Amino acid sequence: EVQLVQSGPEVKKPGESLRISCQGSEYSFTNYWIRWVRQMPGKGLEWLGDIDPSDSYTSYSPSFQGHVTMSADKSITTTYLRWSALKASDTAMYYCSRVNYYGNSGYSDSWGQGTQVTVTS
Amino acid sequence: DIQMTQAPSSLSASVGDRVTLTCRASQGIRDSLAWYQKKTGTAPKLVVYAASRLESGVPSRFSGSGYGTNFTLIINSLQPEDFATYYCHHYYSTPYTFGQGTKVEMK
């Protein structure tokens, strides 16, 4: 069974940096992109971006480009989402997911359990 | 950006009911559409991909249809475990976007 295990909850101050992780297992890690999705409190789902773990090629949502950075370490089947300077508005649950393909388009088929990020002074 | 609009925003239904959720894209997305079930405190769960293909393990009371701009998710004979929020999601072109969700509540 495909597994995506995310790092634990984080409480940070505005301006601090943070990196959260998502480790994949029970599948060929470099054959599937990873997608990051955000859910702010009481709100819907938002796409942050995708990363190809085989070569770390990334595709970001314009809404998040420049504010978050995705990376991957295929040697430990882990992808990361990083902020260099958090804002209170980054408070949200962040999910990673595996991207599967039907035809030319990719959808999320398996999800991590989510990482709660809280930014408060 | 392609906007996804779901209707209704919420609905009340009883166990055994047939429920119809709709999703409209602001421009054509072929069949690049997925439906996710989301319960509070848990990760989204894939229900349907490619507009009409049922994910493995999802009960056959769920069905998806549509192409282009108009899509539907139907739940036949609603079960207690189906009460949740459902999101449609297009993955046709970046930026990928989600609908605002339809909350299916118990009447």
Side-chain angles (χ1 to χ4, degrees):
Chain A
E1 180 187 349
V2 172
Q3 289 201 13
L4 294 170
V5 178
Q6 298 186 230
S7 50
E10 301 276 359
V11 180
K12 291 288 190 178
K13 290 181 166 54
E16 290 187 331
S17 64
L18 173 66
R19 188 181 75 170
I20 63 175
S21 66
C22 168
Q23 184 173 36
S25 62
E26 305 306 321
Y27 72 97
S28 180
F29 183 71
T30 55
N31 284 353
Y32 296 85
W33 289 50
I34 292 293
R35 178 164 293 166
W36 287 92
V37 171
R38 178 177 86 169
Q39 185 173 37
M40 298 177 73
K43 301 297 185 181
L45 302 171
E46 299 173 272
W47 174 68
L48 276 70
D50 293 357
I51 183 167
D52 180 351
S54 68
D55 61 5
S56 294
Y57 179 84
T58 54
S59 175
Y60 292 97
S61 164
S63 299
F64 296 93
Q65 177 95 45
H67 187 55
V68 298
T69 302
M70 294 181 294
S71 61
D73 185 341
K74 56 188 178 184
S75 69
I76 54 172
T77 66
T78 298
T79 57
Y80 302 96
L81 184 65
R82 183 180 184 276
W83 294 259
S84 58
L86 286 159
K87 305 175 183 178
S89 56
D90 292 318
T91 295
M93 181 72 83
Y94 292 85
Y95 295 100
C96 65
S97 62
R98 188 184 78 160
V99 180
N100 206 341
Y101 280 84
Y102 182 80
N104 294 324
S105 301
Y107 59 94
S108 296
D109 67 349
S110 297
W111 294 71
Q113 82 278 19
T115 295
Q116 177 65 47
V117 174
T118 303
V119 184
T120 178
S121 54
Chain B
D1 299 4
I2 298 173
Q3 307 301 318
M4 306 300 292
T5 303
Q6 292 186 240
S9 298
S10 65
L11 64 90
S12 296
S14 301
V15 172
D17 285 352
R18 173 184 163 110
V19 168
T20 300
L21 285 61
T22 66
C23 176
R24 176 172 293 180
S26 61
Q27 62 190 75
I29 59 169
R30 299 182 181 174
D31 62 350
S32 298
L33 183 105
W35 289 93
Y36 295 96
Q37 179 191 72
K38 180 76 171 66
K39 298 180 181 180
T40 302
T42 67
K45 175 187 174 184
L46 176 65
V47 178
V48 165
Y49 64 96
S52 62
R53 295 187 170 268
L54 205 63
E55 171 68 347
S56 175
V58 173
S60 59
R61 62 181 179 271
F62 289 88
S63 64
S65 64
Y67 189 90
T69 60
N70 293 304
F71 301 89
T72 300
L73 179 70
I74 292 175
I75 312 173
N76 281 303
S77 189
L78 195 68
Q79 296 302 300
E81 60 268 29
D82 301 336
F83 292 100
T85 299
Y86 292 84
Y87 292 93
C88 64
H89 171 49
H90 93 80
Y91 47 94
Y92 177 71
S93 62
T94 59
Y96 307 133
T97 54
F98 292 83
Q100 82 280 13
T102 293
K103 187 173 185 179
V104 178
E105 300 175 296
M106 192 176 300
K107 186 182 289 183

